[in-house]
Amino acid sequence: MEHSKKTQKLVILGMLSGLSYVLMMLNFPIPGIPPFLKIDFSEVPALLAALIFGPVAGLIVEGIKNLLHYLIQGSATGVPVGQLANFVAGLLFILPVSLMFHKFKNTKGITTGLVVGTVVMSVGMAFLNYYVFLPAYTLFLQSPALSSEETRQLVVTGILPFNMIKGIITGLIFVVLVNKMKYWITKRVAV
């Protein structure tokens, strides 16, 4: 019986990872935000995995999604800077949701987690883009470095609002999905 549960978990995680990769490909820019920042809903399957199986499962889905993206799509920098940034953003968003849900086991936990996750992702990615990811892009693309003020401006007017918008939209879609799948999720969480 235990072997069957592990197999079922692996199959579900594999399916959610594949779905997450496909959703990552269906991205689009947000008007008023720098066009290189594109929104996608690939965190939704990872959130589902984190809700059902715990935070590590969500991170596994995020990791597989970004690995597939790098292996199939590649990276303009030659190294997976964008995929690493996407993975970290997913981690910062998913962990609070999963931890709050597993603490409270109700809709309030999910909602609180989504709000906290959106704030943590937005602030965390603003900081990490300023100090890590934007300098890495500059280094690997061998492009002229942005001044400190230009970088700050990009982070404040582009990256921070982008992650807030992404967190809010992804959260709303996830809440609708969870409400539609409540029975199935409850059955899986109980297993």
Side-chain angles (χ1 to χ4, degrees):
M1 189 69 144
E2 186 65 32
H3 181 68
S4 174
K5 287 181 185 178
K6 285 182 182 180
T7 303
Q8 185 180 36
K9 179 179 178 179
L10 286 173
V11 169
I12 292 171
L13 288 178
M15 289 181 357
L16 290 172
S17 297
L19 179 60
S20 188
Y21 169 72
V22 170
L23 290 172
M24 188 179 194
M25 306 291 18
L26 303 174
N27 58 41
F28 55 92
I30 301 171
I33 302 288
F36 68 88
L37 295 169
K38 295 184 179 175
I39 193 166
D40 64 66
F41 305 114
S42 63
E43 273 73 34
V44 171
L47 281 167
L48 195 55
L51 223 66
I52 297 168
F53 301 116
V56 173
L59 298 181
I60 288 170
V61 170
E62 277 291 313
I64 292 172
K65 168 193 77 172
N66 282 291
L67 179 62
L68 286 172
H69 188 269
Y70 180 65
L71 294 174
I72 295 169
Q73 303 296 318
S75 172
T77 61
V79 293
V81 177
Q83 289 87 355
L84 182 60
N86 185 281
F87 176 78
V88 172
L91 173 138
L92 294 173
F93 185 57
I94 290 166
L95 284 180
V97 179
S98 180
L99 295 173
M100 295 302 276
F101 173 73
H102 288 285
K103 181 177 181 176
F104 297 110
K105 298 250 190 242
N106 59 25
T107 306
K108 180 183 176 188
I110 293 171
T111 306
T112 304
L114 287 168
V115 170
V116 171
T118 298
V119 171
V120 168
M121 175 180 65
S122 299
V123 172
M125 289 309 292
F127 177 82
L128 288 169
N129 270 286
Y130 187 85
Y131 289 106
V132 179
F133 296 122
L134 291 174
Y137 272 114
T138 301
L139 174 72
F140 290 115
L141 290 174
Q142 298 177 354
S143 60
L146 296 173
S147 71
S148 181
E149 179 57 30
E150 290 171 321
T151 305
R152 187 190 67 73
Q153 187 72 18
L154 176 60
V155 167
V156 170
T157 62
I159 292 168
L160 186 63
F162 168 79
N163 283 308
M164 289 297 282
I165 292 166
K166 181 176 180 173
I168 291 166
I169 293 172
T170 302
L172 291 172
I173 290 170
F174 185 67
V175 167
V176 169
L177 183 67
V178 165
N179 284 332
K180 296 286 184 191
M181 299 178 66
K182 193 175 256 177
Y183 174 76
W184 186 80
I185 292 170
T186 305
K187 186 176 171 186
R188 293 289 172 259
V189 171
V191 170

